Amino acid sequence: MTAPLVAVRGLTVDFGGGTQDSRAVDAVSLEVAPGEALGIVGESGSGKSVTWLAALGLLPAKARVTGSVRLEGQELVGAPRGDLERVRGKRIAMIFQDPSSCLNPVHRIGRQLVEALALHRGLGGRAAEAEALRLLDQVGIADARRRLSDFPHLLSGGLNQRVMIAMALAGQPDLLVADEPTTALDATIQAQILALLAAIRRDTGMALVLISHDLGVVAENVDRVAVMYAGRLVEEAPGADLFGSARHPYTQGLLAALPALTGPRRRLTAIPGTVPEPGTMPAGCRFAPRCPVAETRCATVPPPSRTVGFLHVAACHRQVEAGLSVWSLPRAAE
Amino acid sequence: MSALLQANDLRRHYRVRSGEGFFAPKSVLRAVDGVSLRLERGRTLGLVGESGCGKSTTGKLVLGLVPPTSGTVRYRGQPLPPVGTSAWRGLRRHIQMVYQDPLGALDRRLPIGTQIEEPLSIHEQVSPVERRDRARAAMESVGLQPHQYERYPHELSGGQRQRVVLARALMTSPGLLVCDEPISALDVSIQAQVVNLLLDLQERLGIAYLFISHDLKVVRQVSHDVAVMYLGRIVEQGEAESLFATPAHPYTRALVAAIPTVNFGGGRQRERFLLQGDPPNPVNVPSGCAFHTRCPFATAQCRAETPTLQPLPGGRMVACHRVHEPALGVAA
């Protein structure tokens, strides 16, 4: 395997108290290879966004971040501000769910793009304007010259997200972290934006981390998937393996809870209970209270990560057999 | 026999300023422009479409929360009385509404038990003891625990709050529940719980649902029939499974193709059908077929004449001039 572009090792984020049970992210380890597309799946509060905000030093000061995040060997956790600023936007760019709140409403699109180009590439004047035009063209915005003098409120949500992607591309990053980039958009516009991200990756070889709660979005757009639950990584596998033969009860539950678009309609398998609140995390496996096959040790001992297949890792005491869904067992009835 | 709910040629137009500034000329926004619906007892009609297509306005028109510009709504054969009259209030106990955000639909300062009882104090003269008993029964039917009666909304999770909203809606034994994006604000693992609950309640109580959502997979799961809206009009309507399996209108085809799905076998068998551009501004709806600006099959006829809903074999209704042409099977 090639050397990873980004290697996250034992990343832990504490807000407030700093006790074990209020951890937003607990000892997460991940790697992103150059040019790879990694999907991060999880529900609200799973730490899927916080992991990457922490990696880029974007969390407020009260968050205590420990562990290691290396970008081609360079340590980012605790790195001086100046070093981080040379990474953010330039090496690793990030886009968010709501594009209109990320753009400055009182500045024209062109000015905001040129600012990014000046910051990351040192371009100015004519060269910056030409590059801004090229970027808008690359993200599929028609009539780019006119759009440069538009304000964000004149653009639709889909167009604003294209502008955000253009700004993220301004620094020619090696990795784009896209945090729910299409959640606020309509279905047909979501399809356009996802197709655009795929085309950009094909043209530039940029790596992508796609954070989403939507398993469908992730399944169609990445090579490898990591599933997070309540701040921990519970399963990680190449896409086809994860969706075809998930081994962690939580991943299996998420898949069983998903209605299908084709085939016969079957009753959905609902995961009982709710996600634990920060501050009341279970001591052992955090999924144990909702798990249909939990044993005594699951409630007390956090499960270690185990390799269960080629590049396939799951953190579960019960080494569920391949091809068996714990939710189809008699005990799993809701 | 008359249907439970029958809406005929509903229209709701708003006058809006078309330009900037107070004195800009007014123009007409056709939020809903000629929608007809029919819903039988105990059935679910799914209403899908993208933001701004008028699906929520249609839901409010059905309840009379928004008065129609023209058109009629009949519930059990009777026309909807004018809003605000005592006859309308009397009817409202039979038609209840469930919104997307349960926290916004609940009063944060009242225990949930009190809120679940409230419809009874409005619609029925019953003793406090009976109110309490019926509230507890409603809570049990939606899967809430009796001890949660004294809880406040902030003490519950999102899924539990939506159960409270459902329990409250069920207190007056309604025949029709208008659900506007009822599970969109919930986490994936909780969505399945609420979907199953809605299906169980329907089976047990025979309630009809008008189920409004942008999530096609959920709509397919709960609906008997589905209507697809685009810019204020229904463009396709039919039986849920067949509509999603063989969408006929180009817009429905694009919508179905745009839904990202987990394909357990690997690979992707569904057609690719990527639309160009954004939906047009509803103030300035294109002439003819409103979809022609984004449709890969549009002709001169589509730009000039507005298509009406026409029946296809099998009971499907489609508003498209070119739907009968076999060549459209190949996406452009």
Side-chain angles (χ1 to χ4, degrees):
Chain A
M1 219 175 127
T2 49
L5 177 70
V6 177
V8 178
R9 290 271 170 273
L11 188 73
T12 297
V13 180
D14 288 302
F15 289 106
T19 52
Q20 160 80 25
D21 62 1
S22 71
R23 286 207 169 142
V25 175
D26 190 23
V28 165
S29 297
L30 275 174
E31 286 184 357
V32 184
E36 183 192 31
L38 172 70
I40 314 262
V41 175
E43 298 177 278
S44 45
S46 64
K48 58 190 191 298
S49 301
V50 174
T51 300
W52 292 94
L53 292 172
L56 291 172
L58 291 170
L59 288 174
K62 67 167 184 171
R64 289 196 310 118
V65 181
T66 53
S68 152
V69 177
R70 286 176 178 273
L71 170 67
E72 288 180 336
Q74 182 195 355
E75 180 60 55
L76 299 185
V77 173
R81 194 188 155 116
D83 288 1
L84 277 177
E85 277 172 1
R86 278 188 291 276
V87 169
R88 290 193 290 234
K90 176 81 188 113
R91 303 292 311 280
I92 305 178
M94 199 159 176
I95 57 173
F96 299 92
Q97 176 171 344
D98 181 8
S100 42
S101 69
C102 295
L103 291 164
N104 190 329
V106 300
H107 291 312
R108 295 173 199 279
I109 300 293
R111 176 170 164 182
Q112 301 190 51
L113 265 172
V114 165
E115 186 186 7
L117 287 165
L119 203 62
H120 299 308
R121 308 249 301 270
L123 293 178
R126 281 282 152 79
E129 196 189 320
E131 181 63 10
L133 270 176
R134 192 192 66 79
L135 285 170
L136 285 188
D137 201 49
Q138 187 183 1
V139 296
I141 293 184
D143 201 3
R145 188 167 292 282
R146 190 167 60 87
R147 289 299 182 197
L148 282 178
S149 55
D150 273 348
F151 290 98
H153 75 268
L154 294 171
L155 274 57
S156 66
L159 281 177
N160 272 328
Q161 194 59 289
R162 286 177 194 265
V163 171
M164 283 310 299
I165 294 172
M167 282 177 73
L169 295 179
Q172 296 172 320
D174 300 310
L175 171 65
L176 177 68
V177 179
D179 187 356
E180 303 269 7
T182 58
T183 306
L185 305 177
D186 275 325
T188 58
I189 309 300
Q190 163 168 289
Q192 291 174 1
I193 297 293
L194 292 172
L196 170 67
L197 285 175
I200 290 168
R201 271 186 1 96
R202 218 167 32 237
D203 296 346
T204 63
M206 172 183 80
L208 173 73
V209 169
L210 182 63
I211 301 172
S212 180
H213 70 284
D214 187 328
L215 288 157
V217 165
V218 167
E220 288 192 353
N221 293 285
V222 303
D223 314 316
R224 213 154 53 83
V225 184
V227 182
M228 290 187 73
Y229 183 77
R232 289 204 186 126
L233 201 66
V234 297
E235 187 160 7
E236 189 185 342
D241 292 342
L242 190 100
F243 295 112
S245 60
R247 301 290 283 278
H248 195 285
Y250 175 63
T251 316
Q252 294 184 344
L254 278 184
L255 292 169
L258 218 57
L261 195 56
T262 51
R265 280 184 279 189
R266 51 163 184 92
R267 186 176 173 84
L268 302 179
T269 309
I271 304 177
T274 52
V275 178
E277 300 279 323
T280 58
M281 290 293 178
C285 171
R286 289 180 170 181
F287 188 61
R290 304 175 74 188
C291 181
V293 292
E295 306 174 322
T296 335
R297 60 175 164 166
C298 299
T300 50
V301 186
S305 287
R306 270 184 234 271
T307 302
V308 294
F310 180 62
L311 299 176
H312 193 156
V313 176
C316 178
H317 287 304
R318 305 292 312 258
Q319 297 172 36
V320 180
E321 282 171 50
L324 173 79
S325 171
V326 299
W327 299 92
S328 60
L329 300 173
R331 270 183 64 189
E334 36 163 339
Chain B
M1 201 191 110
S2 60
L4 182 77
L5 177 79
Q6 174 97 49
N8 274 325
D9 203 24
L10 279 181
R11 284 169 207 273
R12 176 64 207 188
H13 297 172
Y14 294 95
R15 286 175 65 75
V16 293
R17 275 190 281 280
S18 56
E20 285 177 35
F22 188 75
F23 296 104
K26 295 266 179 112
S27 53
V28 177
L29 186 156
R30 298 168 194 273
V32 175
D33 200 26
V35 165
S36 299
L37 299 171
R38 188 185 163 91
L39 186 52
E40 306 289 347
R41 183 180 178 279
R43 304 272 293 180
T44 301
L45 174 65
L47 205 52
V48 301
E50 297 178 281
S51 47
C53 73
K55 56 188 193 299
S56 291
T57 307
T58 303
K60 288 178 183 159
L61 286 168
V62 163
L63 271 91
L65 289 179
V66 168
T69 306
S70 69
T72 56
V73 178
R74 284 173 174 270
Y75 183 75
R76 293 200 167 119
Q78 301 297 313
L80 212 64
V83 175
T85 61
S86 61
W88 179 75
R89 279 196 296 275
L91 185 69
R92 279 284 278 111
R93 59 176 294 177
H94 300 297
I95 313 178
Q96 293 282 345
M97 179 111 189
V98 174
Y99 292 97
Q100 174 171 354
D101 174 20
L103 200 54
L106 295 170
D107 190 326
R108 290 159 198 246
R109 294 162 302 177
L110 285 178
I112 61 162
T114 313
Q115 303 194 51
I116 292 172
E117 284 175 15
E118 211 162 18
L120 281 189
S121 1
I122 296 167
H123 291 292
E124 287 176 40
Q125 306 290 324
V126 293
S127 70
V129 177
E130 190 189 338
R131 274 215 299 267
R132 201 178 169 94
D133 287 346
R134 282 172 64 179
R136 285 182 189 274
M139 285 173 67
E140 198 189 325
S141 71
V142 298
L144 288 168
Q145 303 291 324
H147 69 84
Q148 289 169 324
Y149 185 90
E150 301 290 341
R151 294 283 166 83
Y152 288 85
H154 71 267
E155 296 176 290
L156 304 177
S157 68
Q160 287 169 336
R161 284 178 202 140
Q162 199 60 290
R163 287 172 196 267
V164 172
V165 171
L166 275 169
R168 185 176 61 182
L170 295 175
M171 283 302 277
T172 57
S173 312
L176 171 63
L177 218 51
V178 177
C179 305
D180 192 355
E181 303 273 8
I183 63 161
S184 305
L186 306 176
D187 265 324
V188 184
S189 72
I190 309 301
Q191 284 190 353
Q193 293 177 4
V194 177
V195 164
N196 286 346
L197 173 62
L198 285 169
L199 292 172
D200 292 343
L201 289 172
Q202 181 166 60
E203 198 181 304
R204 201 140 40 86
L205 306 172
I207 314 174
Y209 297 128
L210 181 62
F211 192 92
I212 301 166
S213 178
H214 72 280
D215 188 332
L216 268 65
K217 283 185 281 193
V218 170
V219 166
R220 178 181 184 268
Q221 183 72 20
V222 300
S223 305
H224 300 98
D225 296 290
V226 173
V228 182
M229 287 186 73
Y230 189 73
L231 288 176
R233 286 168 171 271
I234 293 178
V235 296
E236 183 163 2
Q237 188 166 1
E239 193 276 321
E241 269 182 54
S242 86
L243 186 136
F244 289 123
T246 55
H249 194 285
Y251 177 63
T252 318
R253 280 169 65 180
L255 211 53
V256 170
I259 306 307
T261 53
V262 175
N263 192 336
F264 295 93
R268 182 184 164 116
Q269 282 107 42
R270 291 180 302 129
E271 76 169 333
R272 290 206 175 269
F273 196 125
L274 196 60
L275 288 183
Q276 300 302 311
D278 287 316
N281 186 339
V283 175
N284 202 355
V285 174
S287 64
C289 173
F291 186 59
H292 84 250
T293 51
R294 301 171 80 196
C295 182
F297 311 118
T299 61
Q301 185 194 13
C302 302
R303 287 185 277 276
E305 291 171 35
T306 309
T308 54
L309 278 175
Q310 300 292 333
L312 286 186
R316 187 85 58 88
M317 302 287 284
V318 182
C320 175
H321 290 305
R322 303 196 62 194
V323 71
H324 293 287
E325 297 174 38
L328 298 194
V330 188

